[in-house]
Amino acid sequence: MNIKNIIIKEINNSLKKNNIYKKYNYNIKNNDKYSDYQIYSFINISKKENINIYKIINIFIKKIKKYKIFKKINIIKPGIINIYIKKKELEKIINIKSKIKNLGIKNKKKNKVIIDYSSPNISKEMHIGHLRSTILGDCICKISRLLGNKVIKMNHIGDWGTNFGMIITLIKEKKININKCNIKKLENIYKKSQYIFSKNKNFAKKCRLNTLKLQNNNKYIINIWKKITNITILENQKIYKKLNIKLHKKNIFGESFYKNKLKYIVKDLVKKKIALKDNKTIIIKNKKKNFNIIIKKKDGAYLYSTIDLACIKYRYKKYKINKIIYLTDIRQKEYMKNIFIIAKKAKYIPKKIKLIHYYFGNILNKYKKPFKTKEGNNIKLKKIIKKTIKYIKKIMYKKYKNEYNKQKIYRISKKISIAAIKYMDLSKKRTKNYIFNIRKILSLKNNTGPYIQYSYIRIISLLKKNNTNITKCIKNNKFYIYNKLEFKISKEILNFEEIIKKSYKNGTTHEICKYLYNLCIYFSKIYELKNITNIKNIKYKKSKLKLISIMGKIIRISLNILGIPILKIM
Ligand code: ARG
């Protein structure tokens, strides 16, 4: 049961009864100071709709009174409503709900969703720019699955296009043995070729020619391309493994996957009069929305945009999904919006299917500048992970050198590092930039991944000390609300479902993190208030242990969806 949803449902009903169908944002607070739930919206709605406020309020109150969970309702002039809930009912709900798998969180409607994330470009090492797409994307997949959806992960790697023409040309000119190349060397070749491309017209011409040859399936060129792609994919898979990201080779549907469809897409869009020929270029001009997107260059090459259009068509036709979610940085905001408009106009996907772009801000260094190495390159993910592990290992070694061997310390440090890095990203507002600060993400006091890991360990060991565990305790003990704090926590427990659903709907994982941090603070409060192990009253003690177990269960579910490993010691 989601109390806020009940309230929203009944506000909607009382508006409908008054023939109001417009959508309003309901301002419902669960503010402990005055009541359990507070509704302010009626004032605004009645003004806007020019209707007597009591016409709405009276119907609402009549409807709300039917629910057992609500104790009393009062109205404060000029129309603020206070709702109070019954302690006994709240206890009952918590006792029942806590036993259900994932606390019963599931959407009624099961959707089929494609999530397009990570998607690095070939011939480069993954750098800090890929961190957010990878981590946020993986978390969104996990939330979606928790809600009961069927998730299809797609890694839309950039393995097609002009940059290959450049790399291949340099490889040919310098007679480089591609079999001896590693990712570092490959990236150097790419950069060098980019440089020569910009300076040397003759070289640039050759590059374009080779791009075309690639796009026309020239055997020799395709062979080099395959090798370059394989070197990069192998390297990327290592990074995913390090971060505990479940994105496999079978999830790769790169740009090249759509290569044979591009010709038809261009033809089709011209036929539908969505695209037009401008000299030799084929372009989509949208005056109303004020954008121009090229889908075929004058030399015959196709582009990123052509591929994305073919890709949407394929995805819908093949998988009949209800939704596609894209994760890229904010620079592609306008581009994505326009591609979605075109795809719907061309009927590659029905209007009602949701195409969603969760774009995100940049990660900055301590000078608030984009994260770059001394040479001006984007800092590599491998380096960030390595640096974090090294830092933690030092601390852990000091703490545990007499208890554990080096290997064990390394294993723990790795898991803490994953928590620190992922949580750093997931706990930030998606659309904003943020500053990377290694000391901050490792703190055991603030809103960090390691702090949440640590709280969970404390819960488990407290239960262990009392000869129980989460499952046992939830199954056998009964929970009663004994004081204000526990009442507050109970309401917070009921909020979990709403938080999960909201963060999925808006792509706002930071709301889960904020909730989780709060829950851990509540646990700390209970823990510090009383020595639970020494409580004499059995009923009271059992109830307290159950409350803690439920909190532990929620933390465990959350850590799982955030992709953060659970530890036994730290
Ligand atoms: N490879 C692109 C980049 O690095 C991201 C691809 C996102 N997905 C898509 N279907 N366009 O920016």
Side-chain angles (χ1 to χ4, degrees):
M1 184 194 281
N2 183 332
I3 297 181
K4 236 181 191 171
N5 271 357
I6 294 177
I7 297 175
I8 289 172
K9 189 176 127 199
E10 295 308 347
I11 300 179
N12 280 333
N13 281 338
S14 49
L15 290 182
K16 265 189 219 153
K17 276 255 156 67
N18 282 291
N19 295 320
I20 300 170
Y21 296 96
K22 210 178 134 190
K23 283 230 169 346
Y24 283 97
N25 222 346
Y26 306 138
N27 194 359
I28 303 169
K29 295 224 163 86
N30 35 348
N31 190 341
D32 286 279
K33 233 178 180 167
Y34 306 107
S35 64
D36 296 321
Y37 292 90
Q38 247 184 349
I39 311 165
Y40 294 84
S41 336
F42 291 119
I43 303 168
N44 181 28
I45 297 173
S46 69
K47 257 189 212 151
K48 287 236 165 91
E49 297 285 338
N50 202 7
I51 182 172
N52 181 334
I53 191 165
Y54 284 93
K55 269 190 159 172
I56 317 173
I57 286 181
N58 289 341
I59 295 177
F60 173 74
I61 290 182
K62 220 163 131 190
K63 290 199 179 281
I64 276 294
K65 274 188 175 158
K66 283 192 199 144
Y67 293 88
K68 267 201 260 163
I69 177 95
F70 301 119
K71 184 167 69 180
K72 71 175 183 193
I73 301 160
N74 53 30
I75 311 166
I76 300 168
K77 274 186 181 162
I80 298 164
I81 308 232
N82 279 324
I83 305 182
Y84 300 83
I85 50 185
K86 271 185 212 145
K87 198 174 88 177
K88 278 271 159 286
E89 287 297 319
L90 188 56
E91 278 171 357
K92 212 163 109 188
I93 295 171
I94 300 272
N95 274 312
I96 294 170
K97 240 191 156 164
S98 57
K99 283 187 192 152
I100 310 170
K101 189 180 172 204
N102 293 329
L103 280 91
I105 300 175
K106 218 167 212 166
N107 273 341
K108 276 195 207 102
K109 207 176 135 216
K110 270 189 192 162
N111 280 327
K112 206 172 175 188
V113 190
I114 287 180
I115 304 184
D116 176 325
Y117 71 106
S118 195
S119 312
N121 293 334
I122 294 300
S123 68
K124 279 190 193 164
E125 267 187 274
M126 281 177 82
H127 55 72
I128 190 143
H130 300 116
L131 189 76
R132 300 204 78 182
S133 179
T134 307
I135 291 176
L136 286 165
D138 212 52
C139 177
I140 300 286
C141 289
K142 290 193 166 95
I143 307 177
S144 187
R145 281 203 176 131
L146 179 88
L147 290 172
N149 299 318
K150 171 146 184 43
V151 174
I152 303 163
K153 302 175 176 187
M154 288 197 174
N155 194 354
H156 190 88
I157 58 171
D159 61 355
W160 208 242
T162 342
N163 44 353
F164 282 98
M166 298 181 197
I167 300 167
I168 291 168
T169 307
L170 195 71
I171 287 177
K172 271 173 82 177
E173 297 239 310
K174 294 257 178 279
K175 296 197 174 67
I176 297 167
N177 183 354
I178 184 71
N179 295 318
K180 283 193 181 149
C181 277
N182 60 13
I183 187 75
K184 246 201 173 97
K185 194 148 180 209
L186 209 55
E187 193 166 333
N188 276 333
I189 297 172
Y190 178 38
K191 274 189 211 136
K192 221 181 209 162
S193 68
Q194 256 181 328
Y195 178 76
I196 307 175
F197 181 90
S198 69
K199 296 275 177 221
N200 181 332
K201 274 198 183 135
N202 197 18
F203 183 85
K205 213 167 150 188
K206 279 184 197 162
C207 292
R208 285 199 197 95
L209 210 71
N210 280 328
T211 307
L212 273 183
K213 276 187 184 168
L214 175 72
Q215 297 194 336
N216 288 315
N217 284 323
N218 174 299
K219 242 187 171 168
Y220 172 76
I221 302 270
I222 286 277
N223 204 14
I224 306 179
W225 167 81
K226 260 190 196 146
K227 284 185 176 146
I228 299 173
T229 311
N230 279 340
I231 294 168
T232 324
I233 290 176
L234 221 71
E235 198 61 33
N236 293 350
Q237 289 307 125
K238 280 189 209 158
I239 301 275
Y240 296 144
K241 201 167 168 205
K242 279 200 169 104
L243 283 171
N244 208 358
I245 298 279
K246 301 267 177 316
L247 200 52
H248 306 288
K249 273 193 184 162
K250 66 167 197 260
N251 302 117
I252 295 177
F253 289 79
E255 293 180 15
S256 68
F257 184 79
Y258 307 94
K259 63 183 180 192
N260 296 325
K261 306 182 191 320
L262 307 178
K263 200 161 79 187
Y264 303 104
I265 286 289
V266 172
K267 245 193 205 157
D268 184 56
L269 288 170
V270 170
K271 203 179 99 199
K272 287 178 175 154
K273 295 205 164 60
I274 293 172
L276 51 89
K277 230 182 191 160
D278 192 339
N279 275 325
K280 276 185 170 167
T281 311
I282 311 241
I283 187 166
I284 299 170
K285 292 184 178 174
N286 189 326
K287 279 210 182 96
K288 212 165 103 195
K289 302 272 180 209
N290 192 24
F291 68 76
N292 290 339
I293 287 184
I294 297 176
I295 53 171
K296 192 174 176 184
K297 287 205 240 173
K298 62 171 181 260
D299 63 7
Y302 302 106
L303 292 105
Y304 185 56
S305 53
T306 334
I307 294 171
D308 262 327
L309 290 166
C311 171
I312 293 181
K313 185 166 188 248
Y314 170 81
R315 286 173 177 176
Y316 183 69
K317 207 170 153 198
K318 169 95 181 164
Y319 296 101
K320 290 281 175 302
I321 26 82
N322 314 79
K323 199 190 261 188
I324 310 179
I325 301 175
Y326 293 78
L327 288 114
T328 81
D329 74 38
I330 199 162
R331 283 173 303 178
Q332 294 191 40
K333 187 178 167 194
E334 287 305 311
Y335 165 79
M336 283 288 172
K337 214 163 82 189
N338 299 338
I339 289 291
F340 297 167
I341 292 173
I342 300 167
K344 292 205 166 167
K345 202 168 161 195
K347 299 206 163 52
Y348 292 159
I349 192 161
K351 279 223 163 71
K352 62 169 199 283
I353 304 297
K354 286 201 178 106
L355 294 171
I356 300 170
H357 183 204
Y358 288 152
Y359 51 85
F360 46 80
N362 293 313
I363 305 176
L364 307 175
N365 65 18
K366 60 181 170 196
Y367 308 109
K368 297 189 183 167
K369 290 272 167 353
F371 232 99
K372 301 255 158 124
T373 58
K374 264 188 226 141
E375 299 80 40
N377 300 319
N378 262 324
I379 210 143
K380 307 282 184 254
L381 271 188
K382 210 159 70 185
K383 193 166 173 191
I384 292 189
I385 299 170
K386 209 170 161 182
K387 220 172 129 179
T388 315
I389 296 179
K390 197 174 155 196
Y391 192 90
I392 297 178
K393 216 173 66 191
K394 233 187 196 162
I395 303 171
M396 297 308 280
Y397 187 71
K398 255 193 211 149
K399 197 167 159 189
Y400 287 120
K401 64 171 183 270
N402 297 327
E403 273 170 80
Y404 305 126
N405 61 27
K406 271 191 174 155
Q407 264 169 334
K408 188 161 183 167
I409 291 175
Y410 180 67
R411 271 205 308 274
I412 298 170
S413 308
K414 244 170 48 183
K415 288 186 175 166
I416 300 175
S417 305
I418 294 177
I421 293 172
K422 283 190 179 173
Y423 197 90
M424 156 186 85
D425 207 71
L426 296 164
S427 60
K428 301 296 184 316
K429 260 200 179 140
R430 174 170 53 79
T431 52
K432 295 262 159 54
N433 297 340
Y434 72 80
I435 295 167
F436 179 86
N437 179 332
I438 197 158
R439 253 173 258 270
K440 268 196 182 157
I441 68 173
L442 289 171
S443 152
L444 270 187
K445 283 196 197 89
N446 298 312
N447 190 11
T448 67
Y451 173 71
I452 311 287
Q453 278 179 319
Y454 178 62
S455 302
Y456 187 72
I457 292 174
R458 278 170 87 195
I459 289 180
I460 298 301
S461 49
L462 174 66
L463 293 172
K464 201 171 169 190
K465 211 165 144 192
N466 287 281
N467 296 318
T468 188
N469 60 41
I470 289 181
T471 319
K472 243 201 251 159
C473 197
I474 289 180
K475 194 171 159 223
N476 300 331
N477 296 8
K478 222 166 157 45
F479 164 63
Y480 304 94
I481 296 170
Y482 280 94
N483 53 44
K484 264 194 175 158
L485 177 64
E486 291 182 4
F487 192 79
K488 232 176 172 174
I489 296 173
S490 301
K491 283 199 296 177
E492 197 64 9
I493 290 171
L494 281 199
N495 264 343
F496 184 49
E497 181 172 354
E498 194 197 326
I499 297 287
I500 296 284
K501 288 186 175 165
K502 207 164 127 197
S503 70
Y504 181 57
K505 192 170 161 233
N506 303 325
T508 46
T509 55
H510 74 276
E511 291 189 276
I512 299 179
C513 297
K514 199 170 134 199
Y515 174 89
L516 204 51
Y517 178 55
N518 241 331
L519 205 65
C520 291
I521 290 180
Y522 276 139
F523 165 68
S524 256
K525 271 190 190 158
I526 299 183
Y527 191 83
E528 279 149 22
L529 229 56
K530 224 178 191 94
N531 186 338
I532 297 170
T533 314
N534 289 345
I535 294 176
K536 291 274 178 320
N537 180 335
I538 300 288
K539 189 176 160 193
Y540 181 37
K541 181 171 169 177
K542 277 191 159 181
S543 167
K544 265 208 163 12
L545 288 173
K546 174 148 179 175
L547 180 61
I548 286 164
S549 299
I550 298 170
M551 293 165 94
K553 185 169 173 172
I554 293 181
I555 296 173
R556 191 174 62 204
I557 298 168
S558 306
L559 285 175
N560 282 338
I561 53 177
L562 297 178
I564 292 177
I566 283 164
L567 281 167
K568 291 200 181 93
I569 43 163
M570 69 189 277

